[in-house]
Amino acid sequence: MRYIRPLSIEDAVGQLAGSAGTAAILAGGSDLLVRMKGGFVEPDLIVDIKLIAGLSDIRETADGFSIGAAVPCAVLGENAALKKAWPGVVEAAKLIGSKQVQGRCTITGNLCNASPAADSVPALVAAGARAVIAGPSGKRTIPVEAVPVGPGKTSLSKGEIIEAILLDKRSPRSGDAYLRFIPRTEMDIAVVSAGVNLTIDEHGVVTAARVALGAAAPTVLLVEEAAEALLGRKLDEAALERLAKVCAGACRPIDDKRGTIEFRRKVAGVLAKRAATTAYARAGGK
């Protein structure tokens, strides 16, 4: 096993592309090291990206925010501007693991681990976040929902690495929220979760919406019909009930010891309603 700490994204891409065996990227290591210790993976090459310039930074630009791939989740909550603009994304990141884990884990790692129950991913999908990918053929930018393609699997090709997560500049009168259900009070995997992002006009009518569900299918679901249920109206009880019904119907969950299909569908609708209500209030709706 080789362990390297490249100083540039180009070097990291070159090392990954040229590796003969299995390669893994180390940012926080909260997933990778656990899997290695459990004997599930044994990479021939580990590429530690924390020394690459810019990957541990949060940058605010005229277009929004760029969150480097090695930024720990705990740091997101310390950035006042990001927390104000995208509270739902920050809330989701702060639910990953314990306080100690949050000091190491990253939202990019959470995304690339490709767990259907990942906490940060539904919030990122609802926020319309994008992933900047560097690879042997250059750079490309894709929606975050296009990264996971199944449990533990991503769309990244050999040699590709996510460099940053992009969040747009907030429109006026906008808000987002993320909620999950877990059997315990903390440090558990979501049985089902929901992220909602809304923009309203001066009359409180929803003009834009995105709704995402986690742990409800092999990958996070972007439920466009749920967003359509909210558009063009205030967030009244009828709209919320329609939202819950659509979200419950969109689920493709499994039965396991942590929750039944029926339970997950029901809770998905409940969480979507609650997250939408919080997002609406944050947008200034009454």
Side-chain angles (χ1 to χ4, degrees), residues 31-43:
D31 284 315
L32 175 62
L33 297 181
V34 171
R35 293 171 65 202
M36 289 174 61
K37 186 175 181 179
F40 299 106
V41 294
E42 188 174 339

Side-chain angles (χ1 to χ4, degrees), residues 140-209:
R140 60 191 180 100
T141 302
I142 64 173
V144 292
E145 59 266 29
V147 175
V149 295
K153 299 179 181 180
T154 74
S155 61
L156 300 181
S157 301
K158 183 177 176 63
E160 289 192 320
I161 179 173
I162 294 181
E163 185 175 352
I165 300 295
L166 304 181
L167 290 167
D168 287 339
K169 184 178 180 179
R170 259 308 191 190
S171 301
R173 294 185 293 273
S174 297
D176 70 323
Y178 171 80
L179 292 172
R180 68 176 182 178
F181 173 82
I182 57 174
R184 301 188 298 184
T185 56
E186 59 182 322
M187 289 179 61
D188 205 348
I189 301 170
V191 176
V192 69
S193 61
V196 178
N197 180 33
L198 300 175
T199 299
I200 62 176
D201 65 15
E202 63 273 18
H203 304 295
V205 175
V206 177
T207 58

